[in-house]
Amino acid sequence: MIHDRVERTSSTNGGMRSLGEETITDASNLSPTITRILVVEDFEPYRAFVTSFLREKPDMQVICEVSDGLDGVAKAKQLAPDLILMDIGLPKLNGIEAARQILEFAPAAKVIFLTQESSAEVVHEALQSGACGYVLKSRAGKDLREAIDAALRGEQFVGRGLARP
């Protein structure tokens, strides 16, 4: 709770209760929503790049990193992240199949593929799996934040330079 002195008195106002001149503000209503992210990427240097990029964003929290599709499914089930950034070419279970499995038990989860695969067929299959975004690894610095914002708004994002299915 944050306590502030105010000059006015009102009964209720957007998360604030007035007690005479002292207003108690519910801090959870003021802080930005933190997006909890699971990163599923088998190439450790690239995973470190993505995690570092996301940690610079105050509204993003990487809650877990894993290196294969099976672990991605297990951690998604265990941690219920808001957003999953996933490669397609993963060991043990490819990203498209992992996304299908995740979205069966967590249909509200947002999945964005972050991959180097650019063929129209793969983009189409990835989006058909239920993913809401597709970003080329080479464009992550330019497209990833936009893809995340679109996903959180419930919109689909396909990175620049890719054929829309």
Side-chain angles (χ1 to χ4, degrees):
M1 293 285 190
I2 300 170
H3 299 279
D4 291 317
R5 275 271 176 231
V6 296
E7 296 297 320
R8 60 184 164 74
T9 59
S10 64
S11 58
T12 310
N13 185 4
M16 299 182 353
R17 289 176 291 142
S18 182
L19 303 173
E21 284 190 21
E22 185 177 32
T23 301
I24 301 170
T25 304
D26 182 355
S28 65
N29 287 345
L30 296 178
S31 61
T33 302
I34 303 297
T35 302
R36 301 170 64 250
I37 302 173
L38 168 63
V39 178
V40 185
E41 168 62 54
D42 61 325
F43 186 55
E44 194 282 325
Y46 194 79
R47 189 172 65 241
F49 160 75
V50 171
T51 300
S52 174
F53 174 83
L54 294 170
R55 287 197 173 126
E56 293 175 4
K57 314 298 180 209
D59 58 339
M60 309 266 166
Q61 178 186 21
V62 175
I63 59 169
C64 188
E65 304 171 40
V66 295
S67 60
D68 68 73
L70 284 177
D71 284 345
V73 172
K75 289 299 181 183
K77 191 174 279 191
Q78 176 188 359
L79 301 172
D82 304 309
L83 180 71
I84 300 146
L85 298 178
M86 188 171 343
D87 193 2
I88 288 180
L90 294 168
K92 298 184 182 176
L93 183 67
N94 76 59
I96 293 173
E97 184 55 36
R100 284 188 183 113
Q101 290 183 25
I102 290 167
L103 293 169
E104 281 181 24
F105 63 79
K110 308 294 185 195
V111 175
I112 297 174
F113 285 107
L114 186 55
T115 187
Q116 54 193 1
E117 179 57 57
S118 61
S119 78
E121 296 80 26
V122 174
V123 173
H124 178 74
E125 185 180 0
L127 295 174
Q128 287 296 328
S129 75
C132 55
Y134 198 100
V135 175
L136 289 175
K137 286 181 175 181
S138 62
R139 296 219 22 111
K142 295 179 175 114
D143 288 350
L144 186 54
R145 180 60 199 230
E146 190 176 342
I148 291 169
D149 290 344
L152 295 175
R153 289 190 307 266
E155 300 169 5
Q156 193 174 72
F157 180 92
V158 176
R160 288 159 189 76
L162 292 167
R164 282 195 154 265

